[in-house]
Amino acid sequence: MAKHWGKVLTAMVTPFDADGRLNLDAARALARRLADNGSDGLVVAATTGEAPTLSDAERFDLIRAVSEAVTIPVLAGTGSNDTRHALALTARAEELGAAGAFLVSPYYNRPPQAGIEAHFRALAAATRLPVMLYDVPGRTGRRIARDVLLRLLGEVDNIVAFKDATGDPAAAASLVAEAGDRFELYSGDDALTLPLLAIGAVGVVGTSTHWTGPEFAAMIAAFEQGDVRRARAINAALQPSFAFSNTDDSVYSMSVKAMLRGQGLAVGECRLPLPAAPESVGRQAAEVWRRLEAWRAGQR
């Protein structure tokens, strides 16, 4: 059972206005919408939230605004490939009322495993917040080694969760088998949530959960209740959403915003280097939404 933040966490996009400025009113509205539609918690100012394009001041304004807008937990994306910067971001997020720190492994500079471990130990030691580690080697260029994870999870009390976006369920199963009582595993890939539930995950940090939160909540509940047939049926209904969320033409932030704009939410476009989504993405979003609504109608 998820003890700290819940089972369905949404990695929230960051709304911008027509001039590309941070839109805090839209962020509050989106956060409340997600809280009302299946999300147990939110992750803000992380990759899907276009953290690399946010100034520190914008990041802090966003964390404060969203934390004040909802009663569900808000995890702050405070990771960086500069340990000193990440320390400052995490300290400020704690002051602003974040419910946890969401820490991606250092990216681009590809430190050795000793550096990755020292980075996480320094960050965890400097905060009272519970910490979720995030491993996404496709973006960072370096995977967190299994022995490093085992030491961190076993020796650092406030590292309590791990978001796995490695695409390696076998390794996740091995990690849970050895250290499952020390941490909570979250799927970092929406499409792998059901397989990871089977080996001990407690939930998902998702992107398509911007519009599929109720389905993810129902799928996880069905699996926990032993109704695997029902969980598989829900997972099958979500396949178009999974396929839509990330393509060569439209990565997660772009796709999610296209879907939300189609539903009338003022989230704006992404900031460069993420370009405006092609018109075809908006059409695809409408079709994905139509199919999901048709499936929902059939369940009533």
Side-chain angles (χ1 to χ4, degrees):
M1 301 294 288
K3 296 180 292 186
H4 293 89
W5 305 297
K7 301 172 185 179
V8 180
L9 309 184
T10 295
M12 197 178 96
V13 295
T14 299
F16 301 124
D17 66 19
D19 296 317
R21 294 173 299 200
L22 182 63
N23 188 337
L24 291 176
D25 287 340
R28 295 184 188 97
L30 176 58
R32 288 190 287 264
R33 175 189 171 102
L34 293 171
D36 290 340
N37 287 276
S39 290
D40 300 317
L42 303 174
V43 176
V44 299
T47 308
T48 304
E50 299 177 74
T53 73
L54 297 175
S55 69
D56 287 358
E58 288 176 324
R59 187 190 301 251
F60 299 147
D61 286 345
L62 181 64
I63 293 168
R64 180 191 297 108
V66 173
S67 296
E68 292 174 350
V70 296
T71 57
I72 60 175
V74 175
L75 282 73
T78 58
S80 171
N81 63 342
D82 173 355
T83 304
R84 291 180 302 174
H85 188 210
L87 285 166
L89 293 174
T90 304
R92 185 65 179 131
E94 183 175 341
E95 293 172 357
L96 294 171
F102 182 77
L103 301 176
V104 68
S105 57
Y107 41 84
Y108 188 75
N109 42 15
R110 302 184 78 238
Q113 293 299 323
I116 293 173
E117 183 172 354
H119 174 83
F120 283 134
R121 284 182 181 274
L123 291 169
T127 183
R128 293 171 296 177
L129 293 175
V131 170
M132 181 185 292
L133 303 184
Y134 175 28
D135 194 11
V136 56
R139 291 179 181 269
T140 64
R142 184 79 79 190
R143 186 167 177 171
I144 307 172
R146 181 172 179 273
D147 62 325
V148 170
L149 280 171
L150 287 172
R151 284 196 295 272
L152 291 171
L153 295 169
E155 298 172 10
V156 184
D157 289 343
N158 61 330
I159 296 180
V160 299
F162 176 52
K163 176 184 174 181
D164 189 334
T166 65
D168 189 350
S174 177
L175 186 67
V176 170
E178 186 155 354
D181 60 340
R182 306 179 200 162
F183 78 108
E184 296 172 353
L185 176 68
Y186 284 86
S187 172
D189 181 336
D190 294 14
L192 287 180
T193 301
L194 184 55
L196 288 180
L197 288 174
I199 58 93
V202 301
V204 61
V205 179
T207 53
S208 69
T209 51
H210 280 84
W211 64 93
T212 61
E215 282 69 40
F216 268 94
M219 182 176 72
I220 294 170
F223 185 86
E224 290 179 343
Q225 294 160 11
D227 192 348
V228 178
R229 184 185 298 272
R230 174 64 176 160
R232 289 172 58 190
I234 297 170
N235 191 61
L238 295 177
Q239 293 301 309
S241 291
F242 300 158
F244 164 75
S245 295
N246 187 46
T247 67
D248 289 341
D249 295 324
S250 183
V251 300
Y252 297 103
S253 305
M254 298 163 63
S255 300
V256 170
K257 285 190 170 183
M259 177 67 77
L260 296 179
R261 287 195 303 272
Q263 296 175 14
L265 276 73
V267 293
E269 293 282 1
C270 295
R271 285 176 173 172
L272 287 173
L274 298 183
E279 290 184 8
S280 60
V281 175
R283 294 193 294 270
Q284 293 166 12
E287 176 60 15
V288 168
W289 181 246
R290 184 196 67 78
R291 292 176 65 180
L292 181 61
E293 286 286 84
W295 183 83
R296 287 172 171 171
Q299 304 303 300
R300 300 187 184 113

